[in-house]
Amino acid sequence: MSPAEVIDVTRDAGLRRIEWGADVHAPPTDLGRVAEVRELTLAAGLTVASYGSYWRAGVSPLAELTSVVTAASTLCAPRIRVWAGEIGTDVADGSTWDTVVDSLREGCAVARDHGIELALEFHPDTLTDSVDTTLDLLERVGDDALRTYWQPRLDEETGPSVEGLRRLVTVLAGIHVFSWWPGANRLRLHERSELWSAVADCLVRDAEPCDLLLEFVPDDDPTLVAAETATLHDLILATVA
């Protein structure tokens, strides 16, 4: 979909913010396009939540992140999503960890100069493939400009999943909201309402306000976004009622 179409879906659903991707809608190689996306977003009464990059610490060159930071600044994005390498902790050795840590420290310095923070994708096949390793990585980097996203781990039951989230609330930048079960089978949010009710309760009770970003609707169907938004709003309101 075009940026204008994405904005229409977002606004019509009653959502407030968009994380624009660096891969399609707002490429860092085209700052004119990035500026256009920013203006379209603001004109619709929306704001930019973050800039979804595919920069991988320890793999992608720092110069690539510099371009991403410039684009994020043009977009008025307060945060950039980045990735902690390209292999999981089950195969990463000490050298890999050191390389990713050093790269993230350098990246934080570049982002901070523009008033932007970095947030790690919480994802398999990276050094943030579990809560323990994410906390370990953040501690090793030791920079407040770096935080983390959270999303349900594949095939993890509700209890362990929410307990993991609870351990990350002090370093949380945002939540990727979707219902996959089992495996990568895409469900509607209400089909895992026990998970998202528990997540909402955890966030309301224990976390600072953060972005809840809808993604992966079944069949990539934009007509479902409004109903999924309503479900998410209902779950949060039920928690605070």
Side-chain angles (χ1 to χ4, degrees), residues 22-23 26-34 51 64 67-68 71:
D23 53 342
T29 54
D30 188 347
L31 292 181
R33 174 70 177 271
V34 173
Y51 191 38
E64 209 172 278
S67 297
V68 169

Side-chain angles (χ1 to χ4, degrees), residues 80-104:
I80 300 169
R81 182 194 64 185
V82 298
W83 300 67
E86 61 179 358
I87 60 174
T89 54
D90 58 336
V91 294
D93 59 17
S95 175
T96 299
W97 275 85
D98 290 343
T99 300
V100 171
V101 167
D102 289 345
S103 181
L104 285 171

Side-chain angles (χ1 to χ4, degrees), residues 156-174:
E156 190 170 53
E157 298 285 348
T158 294
S161 188
V162 177
E163 181 54 35
L165 170 62
R166 188 169 286 110
R167 294 175 58 202
L168 291 173
V169 292
T170 61
V171 291
L172 196 63

